[in-house]
Amino acid sequence: MNNIVTDCPVCNGKNTLEMTSKTEEIPYFGEIMESTLLCTKCGYKHSDTICLEQKEPVRYTLEINKNNINTRVVKSQTATLSIPELGLKVEPGPKSQGYVSNVEGVLIRFESAIATAIEWAEEEQIKENALRILEKIENLKSSDGTATLVVEDPFGHSIIIHDDAKHRKLSEDEIKELNTGFITFEK
Ligand SMILES: [Zn+2]
């Protein structure tokens, strides 16, 4: 584990930004480096996961339900993550972060993004749709709901680690379709 202390680019605090990095070996995947920036003055935080090996563009899918929500997921900064049945998608963008988590952690991240959207929504229709999606996520986590988790990464730095997870190489056309953006949800 490495620790570096430096000035914060956000609040200009002197020696308030702590940068921590560590490497970890992920089975069937390779070595990754997780790094976290945290400012003790203004609270600025950013974390990222970098795969240290060259990989092929890849698409992983897994039918998720309450029995496999502990499945490990490595999502790099370049990955697009989606659950088509729920109309949920998070695309890589300037603010996207890489992380190592599990399916439940992915769902919790979607939930908090939707909760924020509900707060900001002005139209009743959008709020209702968002609440319906939250209900479906809850159903996935604790009841009989199922859906497909899709992870697409043009750099192959992401993975769903489960025997039932399917994976294949992304085609050139699919790679072109993957764009940058922010968390979106529809329906
Ligand atoms: Zn700061």
Side-chain angles (χ1 to χ4, degrees), residues 8 10-13 16 39 41-44:
C8 175
V10 180
C11 69
N12 293 320
T16 58
C39 177
K41 191 178 165 199
C42 70
Y44 169 73

Side-chain angles (χ1 to χ4, degrees), residues 31-174:
E31 200 175 19
I32 59 162
M33 187 174 81
E34 292 178 81
S35 60
T36 307
L37 295 171
L38 178 67
C39 177
T40 53
K41 191 178 165 199
C42 70
Y44 169 73
K45 192 175 182 228
H46 185 81
S47 48
D48 197 13
T49 305
I50 301 163
C51 177
L52 301 174
E53 289 163 37
Q54 192 75 29
K55 302 273 188 184
E56 286 198 320
V58 78
R59 180 181 199 270
Y60 277 87
T61 54
L62 178 68
E63 296 303 318
I64 55 172
N65 57 61
K66 69 174 181 204
N67 298 316
N68 63 14
I69 56 171
N70 290 321
T71 302
R72 234 171 161 201
V73 177
V74 178
K75 179 209 168 285
S76 86
Q77 202 167 2
T78 55
T80 294
L81 215 140
S82 58
I83 304 176
E85 292 91 339
L86 304 186
L88 289 171
K89 186 187 253 188
V90 55
E91 299 181 305
K95 285 194 172 174
S96 67
Q97 307 193 352
Y99 55 82
V100 179
S101 185
N102 56 22
V103 172
E104 187 177 22
V106 169
L107 294 175
I108 289 168
R109 281 176 153 89
F110 272 127
E111 282 174 327
S112 78
I114 295 166
T116 306
I118 289 174
E119 246 171 68
W120 288 88
E122 285 176 0
E123 287 170 51
E124 208 49 44
Q125 180 70 27
I126 293 173
K127 278 187 195 175
E128 275 172 29
N129 287 344
L131 286 170
R132 208 171 306 138
I133 295 170
L134 282 181
E135 231 169 75
K136 285 181 182 168
I137 293 178
E138 189 51 44
N139 203 30
L140 271 176
K141 291 199 298 186
S142 56
S143 188
D144 57 356
T146 61
T148 318
L149 178 63
V150 183
V151 177
E152 294 167 295
D153 191 337
F155 296 95
H157 291 170
S158 303
I159 187 173
I160 301 174
I161 306 170
H162 196 285
D163 287 343
D164 297 334
K166 296 188 181 96
H167 74 280
R168 61 170 173 78
K169 198 177 160 182
L170 282 169
S171 71
E172 286 297 323
D173 284 345
E174 285 173 322

